Amino acid sequence: MYPRSFEYFSPRSTSEVIDLLLRYGDEARILAGGQSLIPLMKLRLASPGYIVDIGRLPGLSYVREVDGSLTIGALTSHATVLESPAVRQRWPLIADAVGVIGDAQVRNWGTIGGALAEADPAGDWGPVAVALKARVRCSAPNGERTLQAESFFVDAYTTELNSHELITEITFPAPAEGTTAAYLKLERRAGDFAVASVAVQVGLTEEAVCRTASIALGAAGLTPIPAHETAAYLRGKELRPDVVREAARRVAQEAQPLADIRGSEDYKRAAMGALLGQAIDVALRRARGEGVEAGHAR
Ligand code: FAD
């Protein structure tokens, strides 16, 4: 199907973008990589009258590490994030997740800002942002504001953003010394959206006792789900197999999955538990210095 006809703008500054969004209100849509919006327009599930293409906005595509925290410009493609030496060397959870987004075309065109704004419940950036406690910076008509990832996602395909706000960058705070992490995703076929996914970051003492834990689940509800109770259970414990098994049982209860074409509720709960166990195993092996590949569930 062809999209409805629309008026096209290619602004060169964020203030121009905001002006256009204010002028055309709900009839306007930002276009970034187009990997979600264009298929929706072709199916006429979205029919904006005005397209504000931010693809040529200067200065919004970058990956920077400053004082241990990582900042990514909203227009940075998934592929560019994956190619970043900082991400590959020091942000394994992000590398795991970005490496399993769609296929090469989706990773080349799709952007981190577009993926977060789209808020697909089965998307990979959502659980990553929640587990790593990312901050989402936006340009708004009255200046800028910063949103916390955990409250950013308010419903399926719905965020805290107003229709006249533009995400400009995402910051992942510096992890504490002794932190290790992994992301694992179960998919029906390589390149699919997740049946279930788990992002885990744990901080370990020198005796390998869990000091801090942060867990977020993807495709586990209408938004990325932070598994606070399971994380609290892990804190202060040595991550022995029996502890990890109990955490897996708890995380399956904390998930709020919905049955759909990718599986029943029970299947997805079981998958969450299994993925958590695998993700903790990968994270612990990484903490011991093993170079373990992750991303796709084993
Ligand atoms: P667009 O499609 O251009 O925009 C998406 C939405 O975000 C629109 O509503 C737009 O108005 C808004 N928007 C875009 N940028 C901004 C901004 N800076 N500020 C405010 N609003 C903005 N994703 C996964 O996570 N995992 C997958 O496995 C996966 N598989 C895919 C497979 C296929 C075949 C396809 C087509 C997509 C897949 N995706 C997957 C989605 C992909 O990650 C998209 O890149 C992403 O969802 C949207 O990014 P985009 O830059 O293309 O945004």
Side-chain angles (χ1 to χ4, degrees), residues 17 21 28-40 46 51-54 57 60 73-78 97-98 100-103 105-120 122-127 136-139 152 157 159 161-170 183 185 187 189-194 262:
V17 174
L21 296 176
R29 286 289 282 274
I30 293 173
L31 175 73
Q35 296 303 294
S36 295
L37 185 56
I38 288 179
L40 289 176
I51 286 290
V52 181
D53 181 356
I54 60 171
L57 274 186
L60 285 186
L75 268 181
T76 313
S77 70
H78 310 312
V98 175
V100 295
I101 293 179
D103 53 23
Q105 175 182 310
V106 172
R107 292 193 292 275
N108 283 334
W109 282 98
T111 65
I112 179 172
L116 291 175
E118 181 66 14
D120 190 312
D124 293 296
W125 272 114
V136 181
R137 193 156 139 207
C138 319
S139 276
F152 179 77
Y157 304 101
T159 69
L161 287 177
N162 296 318
S163 58
H164 43 257
E165 286 182 313
L166 169 76
I167 301 176
T168 52
E169 70 176 21
I170 298 88
Y183 180 82
K185 163 181 177 178
E187 61 218 313
R189 290 169 307 210
D192 262 3
F193 278 92
R262 298 192 186 104

